[in-house]
Amino acid sequence: MREWKFNHIDFSVYPFYEKDDLGVFWAPEKTLVKIWAPTAKIVEFRLYKDGATGEPFHKTQLQAGSNGTWSTVLLGDYDGKFYTFRINDGEWLEETPDIYTRCVGINGLRGMIYNPKKTNPENWENDSSPKLPHYTDAVIYETHVRDFSIAENSGIQSKGKFLGFTEEDTKTTGGITTGLSHLKDLGITHVHLLPVYDFFTVDEEKPVEKYNWGYDPLHYNALEGSYSSNPSDGTVRIKEFKKLVQALHTNGIGVVLDVVYNHTYFAKESVFNQTVPGYFYRQKPDGTFSNASGCGNEIASERKMARKYIIDSLKYWAQEFHIDGFRFDLMGIYDLDTMNKIQEELKKINPGIILYGEGWAADQSPMPEELRAVKFNTPKLPGIASFNDDFRDAIKGNHGNKKSKGFVSGLDLREESIKFGIVGATYHPQIVYDYVEPSRRAWATEPVQCINYASCHDNYTLWDKLKLSQPKASDEELRKMVKLAGALVLTSQGIPFLHSGIEFARSKGGNGNSYKSPDAINQIDWDKKVEYLEVFEYFKNLIQLRKNHPAFRIPSAEQVRKSLTFFSEYHPGTIAYSIDGKLLGDSWEKIVLLFNGTKTEKRVQLPQGKFEIIANWYSINENGLGEVENEVMVEGISFMLLKNSEQ
């Protein structure tokens, strides 16, 4: 019986292999096979005609090579055949694909040998990523492949599939745009997709019977089959995902992938442990697997071949699929050197690639926090952003406590934390950081290192959180809270991030952790867009406002400090500040933003001169909604934006 404890092993002495030829690579006349398995004594390669059943029609042993590698060459054309490895390191491990496998059959049981060129859609060679001058120009929209189109009212034919993102001009029965047309109309710049790699918990032969977000990794370089029209043929999922990317790129929208290298679904049974036992995971002092992910294991990103694997995988996605960015789940587990090397390598492929992640872990790690990519180490991660959970909780209340309130739901004394989000988690001399909860200090060097958001797939939707914390609030009051939250996120410095459906009051029926709940809970109900169309229009106009005016997307912290000034007069539950647009090259020389989180109308003194109202709680119109001078009344639960009038 194998002992899965590793405190007697010094993994640092394992050999490093630096070349980029690990995996199984097809050519018409031969297939090249190479894996890294330094502890192996025998490596057996098995070929199959089917991706799930039947006995192997061919077995061969790989030959040991340099630096822990094993390889062989199969003469002939093996396109469409399936394969596995079995390794003996003194005893036989389980049969699995290789850790680099890029194409798999049903449920990832076997790898698939394939011709990559056959997976390219027509005109793929001309596909290109949208370009933005600054990261702060991005507006990111997070969604789940299945949620996006699975509802009956989506008007989308390829429901729950990659191809659902490629359909043009889809509508509800009431004629309201959905899907890709909705994204274009809303005006977002990037779609952030929850995991699309091959994950374990959904049976690809019965894809609608179970639901999962996909944070249970099986194969990091292969795509999830339940999102394809034919999960038995691994090349279909590749081609259909490329069509998704191509459709979004054609419409000027970038694609960000949610990546979860921090842990695997299986520990002992994972492809990593069935290849090189123990190496890819951190251990506790007693040799058992440590668990900073809260899922039973955590990646040892600091080990050379683990770091190489992560970087190789990300480069593959960026090069083969033209991916525009990556979001790192539990980024606080990764070591700083690995994250910085990731940034360095990916920028060589795409200088505009967006990288961001959760600056925390889910549990204790044996690696000291000062060496990991946690939020407070963001200054050590140039070009990489962290989620601003301080701002999130200040806006709506503590994410885990359904009764807690935030600024938009009427809780006073959250003003400093809101101001912290407004300046993109950077240092500003007018913020009293002792009152910024829970951080108490700036953690971003530049606004490009801050992802501002009010909600995401985790926890309650914004609508549900507000409804639970304010059960007596009217529908109109809840709408105003959602709009106020949207105004805070979309006019603040940093990179704004929207949870899909926030723009029309998405609800999950009060479910606070829907990772495996059915479609009835998770699906985007497009009829909500009909019901809350004015909320959608408000978000759409906020996004356009942000795009039109550089004052809301300042790229440097020094410019923020020079141009953004908070009003000195304090009113509990309100925030007022101005931006010097002239300094920033904005067409508006002076801009005033007012936020009132209370239910009471507030009188605010304005700077000298006449101002044109551009936005109030109900409407946004750059042509103006009326002129004021000296002071203005700001309605309860509302946002107001003004610009200096033409003299």
Side-chain angles (χ1 to χ4, degrees):
M1 184 96 179
R2 183 177 292 271
E3 179 69 26
W4 289 93
K5 290 187 177 181
F6 302 94
N7 50 335
H8 60 292
I9 296 176
D10 180 6
F11 289 114
S12 69
V13 302
Y14 280 34
F16 177 69
Y17 183 73
E18 63 181 9
K19 293 183 180 179
D20 296 328
D21 58 353
L22 294 175
V24 177
F25 299 93
W26 172 90
E29 71 287 351
K30 62 184 176 181
T31 292
L32 304 177
V33 180
K34 184 177 284 188
I35 68 169
W36 183 74
T39 57
K41 291 180 170 46
I42 304 170
V43 178
E44 185 179 79
F45 185 71
R46 300 178 173 193
L47 281 168
Y48 296 86
K49 293 180 180 178
D50 186 87
T53 61
E55 295 298 314
F57 68 84
H58 179 71
K59 296 180 185 178
T60 188
Q61 289 188 8
L62 274 61
Q63 299 302 306
S66 62
N67 300 98
T69 60
W70 295 74
S71 63
T72 192
V73 177
L74 301 174
L75 298 178
D77 187 351
Y78 286 89
D79 186 19
K81 299 300 186 291
F82 297 87
Y83 69 87
T84 60
F85 292 85
R86 198 168 186 211
I87 291 169
N88 187 312
D89 65 348
E91 57 184 291
W92 285 104
L93 291 155
E94 295 299 318
E95 185 177 5
T96 66
D98 59 307
I99 67 174
Y100 275 85
T101 187
R102 295 166 172 85
C103 187
V104 293
I106 198 82
N107 289 321
L109 296 173
R110 294 169 182 169
M112 184 176 176
I113 301 170
Y114 74 110
N115 177 358
K117 289 185 178 179
K118 286 184 179 179
T119 67
N120 292 340
E122 185 178 352
N123 206 34
W124 179 247
E125 66 277 8
N126 295 320
D127 177 75
S128 62
S129 301
K131 302 292 188 292
L132 297 175
H134 303 288
Y135 293 123
T136 49
D137 296 334
V139 179
I140 300 170
Y141 187 88
E142 181 203 49
T143 196
H144 181 275
V145 170
R146 188 155 147 179
D147 295 356
F148 188 68
S149 57
I150 198 72
E152 282 299 315
N153 58 22
S154 72
I156 295 169
Q157 296 300 309
S158 298
K159 288 181 167 48
K161 307 296 182 184
F162 292 135
L163 292 178
F165 285 82
T166 69
E167 297 179 27
E168 300 273 359
D169 302 320
T170 58
K171 293 181 172 66
T172 65
T173 53
I176 296 294
T177 56
T178 65
L180 177 58
S181 295
H182 171 81
L183 297 177
K184 290 162 60 179
D185 191 24
L186 182 59
I188 51 94
T189 67
H190 289 76
V191 167
H192 162 149
L193 296 173
L194 266 65
V196 297
Y197 55 69
D198 190 39
F199 54 85
F200 178 74
T201 47
V202 173
D203 184 347
E204 294 173 358
E205 292 186 292
K206 304 169 185 175
V208 297
E209 289 191 3
K210 279 189 176 181
Y211 176 96
N212 206 279
W213 284 340
Y215 293 91
D216 50 340
L218 198 59
H219 302 297
Y220 288 108
N221 295 337
L223 285 152
E224 169 59 22
S226 66
Y227 298 150
S228 79
S229 62
N230 180 9
S232 295
D233 183 345
T235 63
V236 172
R237 59 184 84 179
I238 296 175
K239 189 168 188 175
E240 290 178 348
F241 182 66
K242 286 181 176 177
K243 286 182 176 180
L244 175 156
V245 173
Q246 187 179 49
L248 289 170
H249 281 177
T250 299
N251 288 283
I253 299 171
V255 179
V256 175
L257 296 189
D258 201 323
V259 290
V260 193
Y261 300 104
N262 68 76
H263 77 279
T264 50
Y265 178 75
F266 292 112
K268 298 173 186 176
E269 303 90 344
S270 76
V271 290
F272 294 107
N273 271 328
Q274 296 303 314
T275 305
V276 191
Y279 179 85
F280 289 91
Y281 300 91
R282 291 185 189 135
Q283 287 86 23
K284 300 174 188 176
D286 67 358
T288 60
F289 296 120
S290 54
N291 187 28
S293 69
C295 299
N297 57 82
E298 63 178 286
I299 189 76
S301 61
E302 69 282 6
R303 293 176 190 163
K304 289 183 178 179
M305 287 302 289
R307 178 179 294 163
K308 173 180 166 57
Y309 176 82
I310 295 169
I311 293 170
D312 286 350
S313 177
L314 291 165
K315 287 169 64 177
Y316 170 68
W317 287 105
Q319 291 171 325
E320 182 68 19
F321 295 96
H322 307 169
I323 296 304
D324 307 290
F326 297 96
R327 176 265 193 189
F328 294 86
D329 184 67
L330 296 181
M331 186 173 71
I333 287 174
Y334 301 71
D335 69 286
L336 290 165
D337 288 344
T338 293
M339 288 305 305
N340 283 320
K341 188 65 175 176
I342 285 169
Q343 191 264 162
E344 178 187 333
E345 291 297 317
L346 291 180
K347 291 292 172 71
K348 293 176 185 176
I349 299 167
N350 178 358
I353 204 159
I354 295 177
L355 304 174
Y356 57 97
E358 294 179 302
W360 50 80
D363 208 332
Q364 297 299 308
S365 173
M367 172 167 276
E369 190 168 280
E370 61 266 23
L371 301 179
R372 292 186 279 115
V374 296
K375 185 174 65 177
F376 289 116
N377 286 331
T378 303
K380 299 176 183 177
L381 297 166
I384 300 173
S386 297
F387 279 98
N388 191 350
D389 56 334
D390 308 270
F391 195 37
R392 175 199 66 195
D393 287 359
I395 288 172
K396 67 178 183 182
N398 182 275
H399 66 283
N401 181 348
K402 64 183 179 182
K403 292 185 178 181
S404 69
K405 299 174 186 176
F407 179 84
V408 304
S409 42
L411 183 64
D412 292 345
L413 306 180
R414 287 296 177 272
E415 295 84 13
E416 296 306 302
S417 293
I418 294 293
K419 287 160 66 177
F420 181 68
I422 287 169
V423 301
T426 61
Y427 171 74
H428 192 285
Q430 288 183 284
I431 294 176
V432 182
Y433 286 89
D434 285 346
Y435 291 99
V436 175
E437 296 180 357
S439 285
R440 310 289 183 182
R441 60 185 169 93
W443 47 256
T445 304
E446 301 290 348
V448 297
Q449 291 183 294
C450 173
I451 301 290
N452 276 332
Y453 69 123
S455 60
C456 66
H457 67 277
D458 280 321
N459 314 116
Y460 303 105
T461 67
L462 178 61
W463 179 266
D464 287 344
K465 178 69 170 73
L466 295 172
K467 197 170 184 179
L468 288 164
S469 64
Q470 285 280 34
K472 294 182 180 179
S474 66
D475 185 78
E476 181 179 295
E477 287 175 327
L478 291 170
R479 288 173 189 243
K480 291 176 74 174
M481 292 176 199
V482 170
K483 287 180 178 179
L484 183 56
L488 281 165
V489 169
L490 287 162
T491 62
S492 292
Q493 308 308 320
I495 301 171
F497 175 101
L498 304 174
H499 180 221
S500 53
I502 189 176
E503 71 276 21
F504 48 81
R506 180 180 181 181
S507 172
K508 293 184 183 179
N511 188 314
N513 188 18
S514 67
Y515 76 100
K516 62 177 182 178
S517 300
D519 291 319
I521 298 293
N522 282 295
Q523 67 188 3
I524 293 179
D525 179 2
W526 291 98
D527 285 341
K528 281 274 189 181
K529 186 179 174 183
V530 181
E531 186 179 355
Y532 293 94
L533 191 59
E534 47 102 4
V535 178
F536 165 76
E537 293 292 341
Y538 200 81
F539 272 77
K540 174 183 172 180
N541 290 333
L542 282 168
I543 292 171
Q544 193 58 52
L545 190 73
R546 185 180 183 89
K547 287 182 172 181
N548 291 347
H549 295 280
F552 306 123
R553 40 190 173 85
I554 305 170
S556 87
E558 186 59 32
Q559 285 180 304
V560 172
R561 287 187 282 272
K562 285 181 177 178
S563 60
L564 193 152
T565 305
F566 291 101
F567 288 14
S568 57
E569 188 176 0
Y570 173 67
H571 298 282
T574 65
I575 292 167
Y577 68 97
S578 65
I579 300 176
D580 188 336
K582 189 175 182 179
L583 272 178
L584 302 164
D586 200 297
S587 59
W588 293 343
E589 290 190 2
K590 189 83 167 180
I591 305 164
V592 171
L593 295 95
L594 310 172
F595 300 89
N596 182 6
T598 74
K599 291 185 178 181
T600 308
E601 189 178 43
K602 299 288 185 180
R603 186 188 307 273
V604 179
Q605 298 296 315
L606 296 173
Q608 189 174 2
K610 293 182 179 180
F611 286 84
E612 188 78 29
I613 299 172
I614 300 299
N616 56 26
W617 79 272
Y618 185 74
S619 182
I620 298 172
N621 187 335
E622 291 200 37
N623 293 321
L625 299 169
E627 198 173 66
V628 292
E629 191 174 5
N630 299 325
E631 64 180 26
V632 69
M633 298 300 293
V634 185
E635 187 167 335
I637 319 175
S638 77
F639 159 65
M640 184 172 280
L641 186 146
L642 309 94
K643 74 171 183 74
N644 57 304
S645 295
E646 299 295 335
Q647 299 301 317

